[in-house]
Amino acid sequence: MDLKYVSTTCPYCGTGCGFNLVVRNGRVVDVAHWQRAPVNGGKLCPKGRYAHEFVNSPDRLTKPLIRKDGKFEEATWDEAYDLIAGKFRSYKPEEMACLSSARVSNEENYLMQKFARAVLKTPHIDHCARLCHASTVAGLAIVFGSGAMTNSIKDIGDANCIFIIGSNTFEQHPLIGRSIVRAKEKGAKVIYADPRYTATGKQADLYMPFVSGTDVAIFNGLMQEIIRNGWEDTEFIEKRTKDFEKLKEVVMKDDYSLENVSKVSGIPAESLKTAAEWIAKAEVATLIYSMGITQHTVGVDNVKSTANLMMLTGNMGKRGGGVNPLRGQNNVQGACDMGCLPNVYTGYQKVTEEAAQQKFASAWCCGIAEGRVGYTVTEMINVLADEPGKLKAMYIMGENPMLSDPDLTHVEHAIENLEFLVVQDIFMSETAEMADVVLPASCYAEKDGTQTNTERRVQRFRKAQEPPGEAKEDWKIICELAARMDMGDQFAFANPEEVFTEIAAVTPSYHGMSYARLDPDGLHWPCPTEDHPGTPILHTEKFATPDGLGIFSPIEWKPPAEIPDEEYPLVLTTGRILWHWHTGTMTRRSWDLEKEAPIGWIEINPGDAQDLGIKDGEVVKASTRRGSIEIPAKVTAEIKKGVTFIPFHYKEHPANALTNNALDPVAKIPEYKACAIKVEKITEA
Ligand code: SF4
């Protein structure tokens, strides 16, 4: 028997834990702890522990499929490539769009944006970061000059106060929860603000339940209390920031007194006062957030507010401090770094700057897409739905908008308006079912590459088995398709390491990296030279803005796009759970995870349930202005009265049939975290 252990990185959340894949006779059969793993020291959450179970699922796609007369038929790779190349050649560049993926490697993301810009010559390239942390990338870049987590995961363990808002860290990033526990053991205070009393709330010293969508008011209230008491860090403000007076003008308004913020948010004034004092008086405090902050029509405002608070209290650029957005998917940071965004090339080099356009045209030895900002994911869907014929073809790699995007009826209508859709995936997803061509791809265990975790640490994926049947590594598919479109010279890579060498050459923050240097612990970007040790803490001396100063942003609170009314009297918020991952294509095929949570539910407070005559476990009708679903009710005091919650993993109970696709005007992120809903008892006819 041939048995080997292959060290690799987890395919689920952005924590970037390492583990060993156990390979017996060439087939992945188990996950084993890798004690030396740099982020998690061998520990794993359930998703990581069972990350082998979907790999050899009988549902894996194993052959290319072409739709003929409304049905899929198996095809050869040559037939599929010829059809795709012929179709892509028949469209104008601006009629085509590509979606890359936070699930695949940096190398594959790099190749996808290069394919879009250099082969199709379209500016329309984006990926699902648009739906999770687009507000972070935009908001922190405005304030600090860099849109990423400022400190490392390990660093959180050195904080004296941890303020968590809009992140259920212990369920969504469980191994980051370990750093919080380490800090608590050393005496740190933990403050948790969220409409749900989650596993994270149970670890908190101070829990502040609030009405979804009132974040800016909460931040302004905390800052007013700090300034009123003279607890701000005046030395830091004077030396490292600008526009403090402008911030003060807004936050000192009566609207943001503790009493008024308490009325808007539902948090008792006394709790807000305690939180302000703990954050301001801690020797070092850190702020952790996730999609509870970003997925709003005011997502960028929310993100800038987190930065305001941490600059006000002088908690930037030091160990144990910082603004720490926890990125959702395993490689969403990397997909952004690789330029799978419509406004930037790799390393956030702007597509609108002529020098950057010339740099990439010269590096790729070809003409590239014109230097204008393309459509975001959400704009692609809106253009398809509202302006038929403007976008005609899409190439989607490893994404499933038919379950993950808001307002699914609208999304379905949009995708139906495409003339030609190519989906590259490992399973027949809801989106793949609508494709003209489906290309069978490889999962994380079947290819080499790198991924960048939430703390900007670039680490290796390692191939443990061959893809099933005729499925291929994504990087190979893109290169072969480019060759079929007469661009083979620009995609002549023998392996992912050669792709990474090109990435390092064109990306300043990755310049000093190579596969050899990434072993064993990875490197945090920026890593500008071959002898640079990487940068676990950003902004220690100055910010990445042109003058090196952090910029305070005065922000007024605005309510969500849709607020409860007589017809739809409750608030709906959505999110993930411990056992499942996004649209469930992988975790729902992992038996040890699926058995823990096989069906969806809507959480509702006992007070609301009593008003509606609803019992725990009863199937109810949940409706918004976008649609209705029938779903079991979970009556629980762990959700605030007036608020409901639905996990978005379940195609049988699709939360996104209900969510609102109203967008943040800057980041174009939709408002998944707050819309108006009604819940009704289903009465027998
Ligand atoms: Fe994987 Fe995240 Fe769990 Fe770590 S915490 S094992 S990266 S899902």
Side-chain angles (χ1 to χ4, degrees):
M1 184 178 66
D2 176 31
L3 187 70
K4 63 177 181 178
Y5 291 80
V6 178
S7 308
T8 194
T9 320
C10 183
Y12 289 114
C13 88
T15 305
C17 298
F19 53 67
N20 282 312
L21 282 169
V22 184
V23 186
R24 192 191 299 138
N25 297 331
R27 200 175 153 92
V28 168
V29 292
D30 205 351
V31 160
H33 297 284
W34 174 23
Q35 305 302 342
R36 176 70 185 73
V39 175
N40 54 315
K43 307 279 189 300
L44 292 171
C45 82
K47 282 197 279 281
R49 172 62 191 89
Y50 300 117
H52 61 291
E53 291 187 352
F54 72 87
V55 171
N56 289 304
S57 161
D59 298 343
R60 286 288 303 273
L61 293 168
T62 57
K63 281 182 188 270
L65 302 171
I66 294 177
R67 186 183 295 280
K68 286 183 186 153
D69 299 326
K71 286 197 185 124
F72 283 123
E73 287 183 13
E74 289 182 356
T76 64
W77 278 99
D78 277 339
E79 286 168 337
Y81 286 151
D82 283 343
L83 175 62
I84 297 168
K87 281 284 189 183
F88 284 170
R89 276 203 193 93
S90 73
Y91 296 115
K92 294 182 192 144
E94 66 274 14
E95 292 173 341
M96 294 180 279
C98 296
L99 290 186
S100 200
S101 172
R103 330 254 353 107
V104 304
S105 66
N106 285 326
E107 291 77 358
E108 289 161 337
N109 275 295
Y110 176 78
L111 291 174
M112 186 51 131
Q113 59 89 35
K114 183 173 174 180
F115 183 87
R117 290 171 169 138
V119 180
L120 302 183
K121 306 201 190 306
T122 176
H124 308 314
I125 166 84
D126 202 10
H127 75 290
C128 67
R130 186 67 46 203
L131 309 176
C132 61
H133 272 284
S135 337
T136 294
V137 177
L140 293 188
I142 294 166
V143 180
F144 298 149
S146 166
M149 188 164 163
T150 64
N151 288 55
S152 73
I153 294 169
K154 186 162 169 269
D155 238 37
I156 294 167
D158 293 326
N160 302 113
C161 177
I162 301 173
F163 180 26
I164 308 167
I165 180 163
S167 160
N168 180 6
T169 317
F170 281 78
E171 279 198 69
Q172 312 308 352
H173 299 86
L175 271 294
I176 295 180
R178 285 182 74 227
S179 288
I180 297 171
V181 170
R182 265 202 302 276
K184 269 176 74 86
E185 285 168 356
K186 291 192 271 179
K189 292 262 199 290
V190 176
I191 305 161
Y192 182 59
D194 198 283
R196 299 169 65 222
Y197 186 57
T198 61
T200 308
K202 286 163 196 162
Q203 300 289 334
D205 299 284
L206 174 63
Y207 170 51
M208 304 196 296
F210 70 96
V211 177
S212 195
T214 58
D215 310 72
V216 167
I218 295 166
F219 279 104
N220 284 352
L222 293 172
M223 287 190 279
Q224 182 180 117
E225 182 65 10
I226 289 167
I227 295 169
R228 259 189 353 94
N229 285 285
W231 295 332
E232 71 272 29
D233 187 334
T234 43
E235 194 186 335
F236 184 91
I237 294 166
E238 275 166 27
K239 286 194 180 145
R240 301 281 315 267
T241 69
K242 62 184 183 188
D243 294 343
F244 175 56
E245 289 305 320
K246 290 184 190 164
L247 174 87
K248 231 168 131 181
E249 263 175 44
V250 169
V251 303
M252 297 314 285
K253 286 182 178 174
D254 192 45
D255 291 352
Y256 304 117
S257 69
L258 292 188
E259 293 67 31
N260 286 333
V261 172
S262 177
K263 273 184 213 149
V264 169
S265 67
I267 301 175
E270 206 45 47
S271 297
L272 289 165
K273 189 176 173 56
T274 303
E277 186 166 359
W278 285 1
I279 295 164
K281 290 191 173 173
E283 198 182 322
V284 59
T286 189
L287 189 147
I288 293 173
Y289 74 80
S290 198
M291 283 166 267
I293 283 288
T294 58
Q295 288 179 330
H296 288 280
T297 44
V298 292
V300 171
D301 283 352
N302 287 349
V303 168
K304 289 197 284 189
S305 296
T306 67
N308 282 341
L309 177 64
M310 298 319 270
M311 289 197 293
L312 181 75
T313 49
N315 279 304
M316 297 305 302
K318 55 185 182 183
R319 183 166 301 286
V323 172
N324 293 303
L326 304 185
R327 305 299 298 256
Q329 305 220 44
N330 59 325
N331 198 29
V332 70
Q333 181 67 57
C336 292
D337 298 349
M338 293 302 106
C340 292
L341 298 169
N343 59 334
V344 287
Y345 303 115
T346 69
Y348 307 96
Q349 300 168 82
K350 292 193 172 95
V351 296
T352 48
E353 281 176 7
E354 209 177 318
Q357 292 161 26
Q358 280 171 2
K359 171 180 171 175
F360 281 88
S362 150
W364 295 343
C365 301
C366 63
I368 61 174
E370 59 178 294
R372 70 181 168 96
V373 176
Y375 294 138
T376 62
V377 173
T378 41
E379 286 170 330
M380 288 174 199
I381 296 294
N382 287 343
V383 166
L384 278 168
D386 304 336
E387 299 173 67
K390 203 164 177 186
L391 268 183
K392 292 181 176 160
M394 275 185 87
Y395 179 12
I396 300 179
M397 171 170 68
E399 296 222 342
N400 188 11
M402 271 304 299
L403 207 52
S404 61
D405 287 22
D407 190 358
L408 292 180
T409 310
H410 180 69
V411 178
E412 185 174 15
H413 172 58
I415 293 181
E416 278 169 353
N417 280 346
L418 276 169
E419 283 182 14
F420 187 64
L421 172 63
V422 179
V423 172
Q424 182 169 312
D425 214 320
I426 61 172
F427 291 113
M428 181 58 79
S429 67
E430 288 71 23
T431 307
E433 276 168 14
M434 299 181 73
D436 296 283
V437 182
V438 178
L439 300 177
S442 50
C443 78
Y444 78 104
E446 294 154 357
K447 54 196 174 189
D448 290 312
T450 59
Q451 64 173 357
T452 307
N453 77 350
T454 185
E455 55 173 355
R456 298 170 283 103
R457 187 194 295 253
V458 184
Q459 304 187 92
R460 294 282 309 278
F461 273 140
R462 285 183 186 78
K463 183 168 178 168
Q465 70 166 41
E466 290 300 327
E470 294 174 24
K472 294 188 186 205
E473 287 123 302
D474 298 73
W475 68 270
K476 265 192 194 156
I477 300 172
I478 300 168
C479 292
E480 289 176 356
L481 192 52
R484 201 57 65 111
M485 295 188 71
D486 305 323
M487 295 286 284
D489 289 353
Q490 287 82 357
F491 288 77
F493 300 102
N495 53 50
E497 186 169 6
E498 288 186 7
V499 183
F500 193 81
T501 303
E502 184 170 309
I503 293 169
V506 296
T507 312
S509 53
Y510 282 61
H511 265 341
M513 296 187 194
S514 63
Y515 272 23
R517 287 201 71 205
L518 294 181
D519 279 330
D521 292 339
L523 284 164
H524 298 262
W525 65 254
C527 176
T529 57
E530 282 170 20
D531 56 358
H532 193 283
T535 314
I537 306 176
L538 295 178
H539 317 309
T540 49
E541 304 292 327
K542 57 183 182 150
F543 290 99
T545 50
D547 59 8
L549 298 175
I551 306 165
F552 279 112
S553 311
I555 301 165
E556 297 279 8
W557 173 69
K558 293 191 257 332
E562 193 179 66
I563 52 174
D565 54 22
E566 250 178 53
E567 196 180 355
Y568 297 95
L570 303 172
V571 174
L572 168 67
T573 183
T574 64
R576 295 203 305 256
I577 59 168
L578 176 64
W579 307 103
H580 284 305
W581 188 253
H582 288 222
T583 65
T585 51
M586 299 189 298
T587 51
R588 298 203 66 197
R589 290 180 172 91
S590 301
W591 51 93
D592 276 298
L593 300 172
E594 175 68 354
K595 75 180 183 201
E596 296 290 341
I599 53 167
W601 66 85
I602 180 166
E603 287 177 17
I604 183 163
N605 181 275
D608 293 323
Q610 191 177 16
D611 293 346
L612 296 164
I614 289 168
K615 294 194 187 65
D616 188 40
E618 178 178 343
V619 175
V620 297
K621 184 175 173 191
S623 311
T624 66
R625 291 185 174 84
R626 272 73 52 195
S628 294
I629 59 172
E630 295 192 356
I631 184 167
K634 185 189 247 181
V635 178
T636 171
E638 293 185 350
I639 190 153
K640 190 168 172 50
K641 192 167 187 311
V643 183
T644 63
F645 167 82
I646 304 178
F648 74 92
H649 312 293
Y650 296 92
K651 60 183 176 193
E652 304 87 341
H653 312 292
N656 284 321
L658 307 176
T659 45
N660 192 357
N661 69 353
L663 303 180
D664 178 287
V666 178
K668 313 288 183 195
I669 193 169
E671 192 148 60
Y672 288 106
K673 295 298 187 206
C675 71
I677 186 173
K678 72 176 160 196
V679 180
E680 297 166 283
K681 196 173 177 68
I682 299 174
T683 45
E684 299 282 320

